[in-house]
Amino acid sequence: MEKRFYALLLVFLSTTLFAQEIIKDTVKPIQIPKSKQKIDGIVATVGDYLVLDSDIDKSFLELTSTRNSIDGITRCQMIGKLLEERLYAHQAVQDSIVVSDAEINGTLEEKLSVMIEQIGSMDKLVKFFKKNSEEELRSTFFDVLKMSRLASEMQKKIVEKVEITPEEVRNYFKSIPKADLPVFGDEVEVAQIVIKPKISDEEKQKVIDKLKELKRDVINGSSFFSKAVLYSQDPGSKSNGGYYKMNRKTPFVKEFKDVAFSLNEGEISEPFETEFGYHIILVEKIRGQEVDLRHILLIPKVSDEALKEAKDEITEIRKRILAGDIAFGDAARASSDEKETKNNGGQLVNPRTLDTRFDLTKMDPSLYSQVSNLKQGEISVPFLDTDQTQKKMYKIITVTNRIPSHTADYAQDFLKIKDLALKEKQFKAIAKWTNEKIKETFIKINGEYRDCLFESNWLKK
């Protein structure tokens, strides 16, 4: 029962975002008497937000549930992180940062669905969390999610304009003692050729007709949310009723954004195609340059014959490369169906670092399984793969470069060093912002926690 409680509570606690790492105290931790720990009293106030004693317990629970060690972390340190989160959320409200209720409700529905699936029913969930009603449960978790999202948006705003120059990167690197230089693990650079099976016009029309049917149902009173949950093949929004919030800078494909911003509130688009499949969009709310929308994605089925043709095509391409008739990069530019990589000779870009190197210890498991045993220049056999929307395709992969584990080198590892330097500068920006906002925000810390030695001046001494 206790393990189930941990798992369920973590669904919500995992949304909490801390800007800074917990710094272990160099002083003896303050011991709060057990009898007082059990009383769920208010231990601190930050602007309009409270910190309860149980919030501290839940934060420790979050760390242990994610297999992080809590050794040496005190309640004083933990309350310091909770104070930070509430300061961010409070200031976000003051700065008129908008987090729509529709967005929070969408996230809430998604998380409740996961928890209900685990425990069996809403009634059981209400009893599990010792609430008096479903309404009380929803209200409690809504507040938790909204505060967390406000804090996250405030943090983004603090660091969004923080930039770093090459000179600052150089100075940062020079400031690191030789003995403390980071060691980067084994890395590889990878290229691929992708052949996607051709979809028949008949299958495309079936999908278009189904989307038109779903649109008619919604116009006649059915729930778009429910239709998206039941039919959409977009794993990123399906459980959330197809919900997205976007503006013109949001990284959606052009065709999707063009349709979204052409609709009025309450209007549903006709079926349209993107590289992901076919969609319909319902615009729920237009707020200036932002749009709250829901969409349904359907992907046409691929026939066995089309899959065989794709495999035959990529097998022939591999034969030509091995025979020396064409270089891998030239074959990718000429034949690959993946537009993001074909013009770069099939070279993959690491989405975490935005360069071409992949740390083998942090590589996606599916990609690691394909490249871990490949020698430099060797080409894999054709294999069937699926993307995030479960669309099938055939691929061949080659390792274009292997970089062995090494101590950080300024020229060779500039992008990684730049990232470390930027993070440090962002950390300092957040620390400066925090100290400034503490001075102008109502903060009250109660009881034994007034004896804590905080990193920031929460007690305003």
Side-chain angles (χ1 to χ4, degrees):
M1 185 66 173
E2 184 179 348
K3 289 182 179 178
R4 175 179 271 191
F5 175 79
Y6 285 4
L8 288 172
L9 189 55
L10 183 60
V11 172
F12 279 88
L13 293 179
S14 62
T15 61
T16 304
L17 179 63
F18 290 148
Q20 304 176 28
E21 296 179 4
I22 293 178
I23 303 171
K24 294 185 177 180
D25 289 342
T26 56
V27 298
K28 184 178 179 180
I30 294 172
Q31 299 298 322
I32 309 295
K34 288 185 178 179
S35 61
K36 292 188 178 181
Q37 289 180 18
K38 293 178 182 177
I39 301 172
D40 193 13
I42 298 171
V43 298
T45 305
V46 181
D48 297 327
Y49 293 93
L50 304 177
V51 180
L52 303 179
D53 207 44
S54 62
D55 292 330
I56 303 173
D57 296 327
K58 291 172 185 175
S59 296
F60 277 110
L61 174 61
E62 178 186 359
L63 288 177
T64 55
S65 298
T66 53
R67 299 181 181 179
N68 285 301
S69 173
I70 60 172
D71 292 343
I73 299 175
T74 67
R75 293 181 75 81
C76 286
Q77 292 168 327
M78 193 60 76
I79 192 178
K81 307 324 294 175
L82 296 176
L83 291 170
E84 283 183 5
E85 182 185 40
R86 282 145 179 80
L87 181 66
Y88 299 140
H90 172 76
Q91 193 59 45
V93 174
Q94 305 306 307
D95 287 4
S96 301
I97 292 177
V98 176
V99 174
S100 72
D101 287 355
E103 182 180 355
I104 300 301
N105 280 324
T107 304
L108 177 62
E109 291 300 330
E110 179 180 355
K111 292 183 179 294
L112 286 176
S113 295
V114 173
M115 297 172 78
I116 290 170
E117 184 177 341
Q118 290 177 350
I119 201 169
S121 70
M122 175 60 77
D123 288 340
K124 290 181 180 179
L125 197 63
V126 170
K127 291 177 182 177
F128 200 89
F129 284 102
K130 299 178 181 178
K131 300 299 178 183
N132 295 318
S133 64
E134 178 183 340
E135 182 180 359
E136 182 183 350
L137 179 74
R138 287 179 176 275
S139 177
T140 299
F141 286 139
F142 179 92
D143 292 341
V144 170
L145 290 172
K146 187 156 189 174
M147 180 178 66
S148 180
R149 186 56 191 271
L150 283 168
S152 175
E153 292 300 315
M154 189 68 244
Q155 287 175 307
K156 289 178 184 177
K157 184 176 179 179
I158 296 168
V159 302
E160 67 182 358
K161 294 183 180 178
V162 177
E163 297 179 344
I164 196 158
T165 65
E167 186 62 26
E168 287 176 310
V169 178
R170 182 181 296 276
N171 291 336
Y172 168 80
F173 184 73
K174 286 181 178 179
S175 72
I176 304 174
K178 251 189 176 181
D180 295 334
L181 286 171
V183 175
F184 298 125
D186 292 338
E187 296 175 308
V188 292
E189 293 181 318
V190 180
Q192 67 181 17
I193 296 174
V194 177
I195 299 298
K196 298 178 180 179
K198 305 299 185 288
I199 299 171
S200 69
D201 291 339
E202 181 182 1
E203 288 298 329
K204 291 179 181 179
Q205 192 58 49
K206 284 181 182 179
V207 165
I208 293 171
D209 291 343
K210 181 63 178 178
L211 286 171
K212 287 182 176 180
E213 177 189 328
L214 294 174
K215 176 180 177 179
R216 285 195 300 270
D217 289 346
V218 173
I219 291 174
N220 291 327
S222 294
S223 164
F224 197 102
F225 180 100
S226 298
K227 295 293 185 183
V229 170
L230 288 171
Y231 297 105
S232 183
Q233 293 175 272
D234 175 13
S237 69
K238 174 185 176 70
S239 62
N240 201 15
Y243 177 82
Y244 282 117
K245 178 177 78 171
M246 62 183 293
N247 57 47
R248 293 191 181 276
K249 294 183 179 180
T250 306
F252 280 73
V253 292
K254 181 179 183 298
E255 298 89 342
F256 193 94
K257 290 168 72 172
D258 287 346
V259 173
F261 286 101
S262 71
L263 299 172
N264 298 317
E265 282 189 15
E267 188 177 359
I268 305 175
S269 74
E270 289 296 318
F272 66 95
E273 185 179 12
T274 71
E275 64 191 75
F276 299 102
Y278 288 83
H279 314 250
I280 54 172
I281 290 176
L282 164 65
V283 170
E284 289 192 336
K285 187 72 175 176
I286 298 174
R287 291 177 283 100
Q289 297 300 309
E290 287 192 332
V291 174
D292 292 338
L293 61 82
R294 296 189 186 275
H295 89 120
I296 296 172
L297 167 68
L298 295 183
I299 303 169
K301 291 181 180 180
V302 175
S303 68
D304 292 340
E305 182 182 354
L307 277 173
K308 182 181 182 301
E309 289 175 355
K311 184 178 182 180
D312 291 344
E313 181 179 349
I314 204 165
T315 300
E316 182 60 30
I317 292 171
R318 182 175 183 270
K319 285 181 181 178
R320 292 183 60 209
I321 297 171
L322 292 175
D325 296 339
I326 189 170
F328 192 100
D330 291 336
R333 280 183 278 269
S335 303
S336 182
D337 290 331
E338 186 176 65
K339 67 179 183 179
E340 293 85 359
T341 60
K342 70 175 297 177
N343 293 330
N344 196 28
Q347 197 76 48
L348 293 179
V349 174
N350 189 332
R352 294 179 180 176
T353 61
L354 300 182
D355 66 5
T356 56
R357 294 185 184 182
F358 291 82
D359 185 332
L360 283 172
T361 63
K362 298 176 182 177
M363 181 178 281
D364 179 88
S366 61
L367 181 57
Y368 177 83
S369 66
Q370 297 295 335
V371 306
S372 58
N373 294 322
L374 282 182
K375 297 176 182 178
Q376 185 169 324
E378 188 177 0
I379 303 171
S380 73
V381 297
F383 62 94
L384 185 64
D385 198 11
T386 56
D387 64 14
Q388 60 183 357
T389 61
Q390 302 306 306
K391 292 173 72 172
K392 296 178 180 180
M393 63 200 71
Y394 273 96
K395 293 182 178 181
I396 53 175
I397 285 179
T398 186
V399 174
T400 57
N401 191 20
R402 281 190 176 271
I403 303 100
S405 175
H406 62 281
T407 301
D409 174 85
Y410 183 77
Q412 185 177 356
D413 303 303
F414 177 80
L415 290 177
K416 289 187 179 64
I417 296 165
K418 178 183 178 182
D419 186 55
L420 293 173
L422 178 60
K423 281 185 171 64
E424 181 179 83
K425 190 172 181 180
Q426 290 173 337
F427 182 91
K428 290 178 179 178
I430 288 175
K432 180 182 178 183
W433 179 94
T434 300
N435 288 328
E436 289 174 353
K437 295 305 177 184
I438 284 174
K439 296 176 184 177
E440 59 189 58
T441 304
F442 173 77
I443 298 169
K444 182 180 180 181
I445 299 174
N446 304 322
E448 294 91 342
Y449 294 102
R450 292 190 60 80
D451 296 328
C452 289
L453 298 177
F454 294 113
E455 290 294 318
S456 299
N457 186 26
W458 294 107
L459 296 168
K460 301 188 179 183
K461 292 180 179 179

